[in-house]
Amino acid sequence: MEPTDDRRAFGDRVRELRREKGFSSQEAFAHHVGLDRTYVSGIETGRRNPTFDIIMKLAHALEVRPAELLDTLD
Amino acid sequence: MEPTDDRRAFGDRVRELRREKGFSSQEAFAHHVGLDRTYVSGIETGRRNPTFDIIMKLAHALEVRPAELLDTLD
């Protein structure tokens, strides 16, 4: 799937928060959140279109409020 | 699809913003955002699991920042 600007911005935010929370590798974070590593990679590069439920799962795993995942988007 | 608490809260927020923006009916809003009315109804009752792209579409149609759609969620 081709990335969009919004999905790229979302992916960048997920990567930023992942690193902030100490998950230096996508592998470790994917294991923690219960998703496949390639899916996490796809989200972070804007090539995946995650559902609301997945966005909630990411927020809970990153221990941030869900709105924080979208706060770089206009 | 069975609603979840998070999806219900999201649906309530969409309904709240829809009404605030003057779309008294789901029909009028569905037409405005380019979605089927039954899909909008499903989102507002938590029975649909919208993708990131749909969430962006809703935010743009409601003229709010995407994070505002999730700001009632913990």
Side-chain angles (χ1 to χ4, degrees), chain A residues 7 49-50 52-53 65 71, chain B residues 7 49-50 52-53 65 71:
Chain A
R7 278 197 243 116
N49 184 21
F52 173 87
D53 288 355
R65 296 188 67 242
D71 62 12
Chain B
R7 278 198 244 116
N49 184 21
F52 173 88
D53 287 356
R65 297 189 66 242
D71 61 13

Side-chain angles (χ1 to χ4, degrees), chain A residues 39-58:
Chain A
Y39 189 76
V40 170
S41 169
I43 287 173
E44 291 192 359
T45 51
R47 286 177 294 106
R48 292 286 178 172
N49 184 21
T51 63
F52 173 87
D53 288 355
I54 294 289
I55 293 168
M56 291 301 108
K57 211 170 173 156
L58 292 169

Side-chain angles (χ1 to χ4, degrees), chain B residues 24-74:
Chain B
S24 52
S25 79
Q26 288 174 342
E27 185 91 38
F29 179 64
H31 182 73
H32 174 67
V33 71
L35 293 172
D36 188 83
R37 190 199 64 73
T38 58
Y39 189 76
V40 169
S41 169
I43 287 173
E44 292 192 359
T45 51
R47 287 178 294 106
R48 292 286 178 172
N49 184 21
T51 64
F52 173 88
D53 287 356
I54 294 289
I55 293 168
M56 291 301 107
K57 208 170 174 154
L58 292 169
H60 297 149
L62 290 165
E63 297 174 359
V64 296
R65 297 189 66 242
E68 282 185 65
L69 285 177
L70 302 186
D71 61 13
T72 58
L73 290 154
D74 289 315

